[in-house]
């Protein structure tokens, strides 16, 4: 996945690249921070981090509900790494404010 993102960014540097992660399935914040570094190193410029919610009993159970303060800390870390935009919070999904991002508007 990282190589695909990197190759796309190399071929289309003017197009923002975006990736997203759902948290709450057993990962640590150190795991997430490492993934953020990897994503940025491979040309990803936009990021979403959200809380995984079990859609049905047939899906994986939530292992942990991530507190909002941890999402805030990861958003700060993402900005420090160099992401142009990082939407991080329990209700953030991969399409979070996609309409504003596509138009180039600032997303808060």
């Amino acid at each position: 996945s990282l190589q695909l993102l990197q190759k796309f960014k190399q071929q289309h540097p003017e197009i923002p690249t975006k990736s997203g992660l759902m948290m709450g399935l057993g990962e640590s914040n150190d795991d997430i921070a490492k993934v953020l570094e990897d994503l940025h190193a491979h040309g990803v410029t936009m990021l979403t981090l959200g809380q995984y919610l079990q859609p049905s009993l047939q899906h994986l159970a939530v292992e942990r509900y991530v507190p909002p303060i941890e999402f805030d800390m990861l958003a700060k870390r993402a900005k420090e790494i160099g992401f142009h935009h990082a939407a991080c919070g329990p209700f953030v999904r991969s399409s979070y404010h996609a309409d504003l991002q596509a138009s180039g508007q600032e997303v808060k």
Side-chain angles (χ1 to χ4, degrees):
S1 296
L2 290 173
Q3 290 177 349
L4 175 66
L5 290 163
Q6 185 176 42
K7 286 182 185 206
F8 180 85
K9 191 61 171 183
Q10 288 170 346
Q11 293 175 5
H12 306 282
E14 72 286 358
I15 298 176
T17 47
K18 179 179 176 182
S19 189
L21 302 169
M22 300 307 293
M23 298 175 59
L25 289 165
E27 72 290 326
S28 71
N29 285 343
D30 288 341
D31 294 334
I32 296 295
K34 175 65 174 133
V35 171
L36 299 186
E37 291 172 10
D38 289 344
L39 287 170
H40 186 262
H42 286 80
V44 175
T45 58
M46 301 172 73
L47 174 72
T48 59
L49 294 177
Q51 172 68 52
Y52 170 75
L53 298 173
Q54 183 179 11
S56 75
L57 294 176
Q58 288 73 40
H59 289 82
L60 293 172
V62 174
E63 288 196 25
R64 178 174 86 101
Y65 288 98
V66 180
I69 189 76
E70 289 185 33
F71 282 109
D72 293 344
M73 291 181 341
L74 288 166
K76 182 180 177 189
R77 179 69 184 127
K79 289 290 192 169
E80 290 170 354
I81 290 171
F83 284 92
H84 297 163
H85 174 73
C88 306
F91 301 112
V92 170
R93 297 296 177 256
S94 62
S95 60
Y96 193 74
H97 288 304
D99 56 335
L100 296 176
Q101 294 168 2
S103 68
Q105 295 180 36
E106 178 67 26
V107 180
K108 297 181 182 182

